[in-house]
Amino acid sequence: MSYTGRFAPSPTGPLHLGSLVTAVASYLEARGRGGRWLVRMEDLDGPRCVPGADGEILRALEAYGFAWDGPVLYQSTRTAAYAEAVRQLGDLVYPCGCSRREVCGCARGLPAGRVGRSLKVRGGDFVIRRADGLYAYQLAVVVDDADQGVTDVVRGEDLLESTPGQIYLHRALGLTPPRYRHIRLVRDARGDKLSKQTRAPALPLTAPAPVLRQAMRFLGLEAPEAAVDELWEWAVGTWRPIP
Ligand code: GLU
């Protein structure tokens, strides 16, 4: 099967150096193998999304020289596909009436007097539809990766813990899971992951080349001083695929 990779930012704020490193790694893996590279906006969690952040992210990707294949897929348009996946999971799905802190026994049936608020999947025992009615990241990412024909996921090691559940869901839906690779995170001086929560600065849109170079260096590429286009040409030619 030919290679299809993707970058799947959540539009909860602008891209920072940490997200750039993930994007560069997945892009180099895809382009280095002659594969496709998609962008997906993970805008399922409406309340956490910042209006306009999607456009800002796409403009930053353009400024840093990324070229994606096909249209950007927005998860907010995919509710019907997620509902269909829940239907297909059939008896594996059970309602849960617990709060996060409770030890959940709902897989054996809702306790008397409890109302099912979220939906969980048997075997993995994680939420696939939240109590507020939103489909969970775990379900959406699996359905989208499958529907978009993603063969390879390259992402930060902070998502390592969600990978077994995603593989489980792919299999439960009769799908072949993609290959997953997780890369080291960029951390600040205190050792915290760069993130919107730790107020990582937004990527500068003017003079992107030095920052792109910094991201490439983080990934082990001794990138020369060059303009964005030349950096990419050099990096795609130099990149050794992650084993
Ligand atoms: N949307 C997730 C994030 O921004 C990434 C999901 C993934 O790569 O599977 O953290």
Side-chain angles (χ1 to χ4, degrees), residues 52-185:
D54 60 328
E56 225 179 318
I57 289 172
L58 297 177
R59 277 194 297 281
L61 288 175
E62 272 166 3
Y64 279 77
F66 293 90
W68 52 92
D69 294 300
V72 174
L73 184 70
Y74 281 74
Q75 286 192 324
S76 53
T77 65
R78 302 267 303 149
T79 312
Y82 307 145
E84 173 58 21
V86 171
R87 201 191 58 75
Q88 274 179 31
L89 287 169
D91 290 346
L92 281 181
V93 178
Y94 63 91
C96 165
C98 298
S99 69
R100 260 178 217 210
R101 263 177 275 147
E102 283 171 294
V103 179
C104 175
C106 299
R108 294 186 298 275
L110 274 176
R114 276 293 169 98
V115 181
R117 293 159 64 239
S118 60
L119 295 179
K120 284 189 174 172
V121 66
R122 221 175 278 288
D125 295 318
F126 53 82
V127 173
I128 53 171
R129 203 183 70 198
R130 300 172 3 179
D132 59 9
L134 291 176
Y135 289 94
Y137 156 72
Q138 280 294 71
L139 180 80
V141 80
V142 164
V143 173
D144 290 342
D145 281 338
D147 285 357
Q148 293 191 285
V150 171
T151 60
D152 291 77
V153 171
V154 177
R155 58 185 178 189
E157 64 188 4
D158 53 327
L159 289 167
L160 191 57
E161 277 176 22
S162 57
T163 302
Q166 289 171 18
I167 293 173
Y168 178 78
L169 272 185
H170 274 281
R171 298 223 166 103
L173 288 164
L175 303 164
T176 307
R179 280 177 295 265
Y180 294 92
R181 295 184 181 82
H182 297 86
I183 59 166
R184 185 165 66 94
L185 298 178

Side-chain angles (χ1 to χ4, degrees), residues 11-76:
T12 52
L15 294 184
H16 48 74
L17 184 65
S19 25
L20 179 66
V21 164
T22 307
V24 170
S26 71
Y27 195 73
L28 285 175
E29 277 289 300
R31 296 303 192 218
R33 295 171 193 254
R36 285 157 41 84
W37 188 75
L38 314 176
V39 173
R40 182 169 73 229
M41 274 305 153
E42 302 215 316
D43 61 342
L44 257 191
D45 192 346
R48 284 189 56 230
C49 292
V50 174
D54 60 328
E56 225 179 318
I57 289 172
L58 297 177
R59 277 194 297 281
L61 288 175
E62 272 166 3
Y64 279 77
F66 293 90
W68 52 92
D69 294 300
V72 174
L73 184 70
Y74 281 74
Q75 286 192 324
S76 53

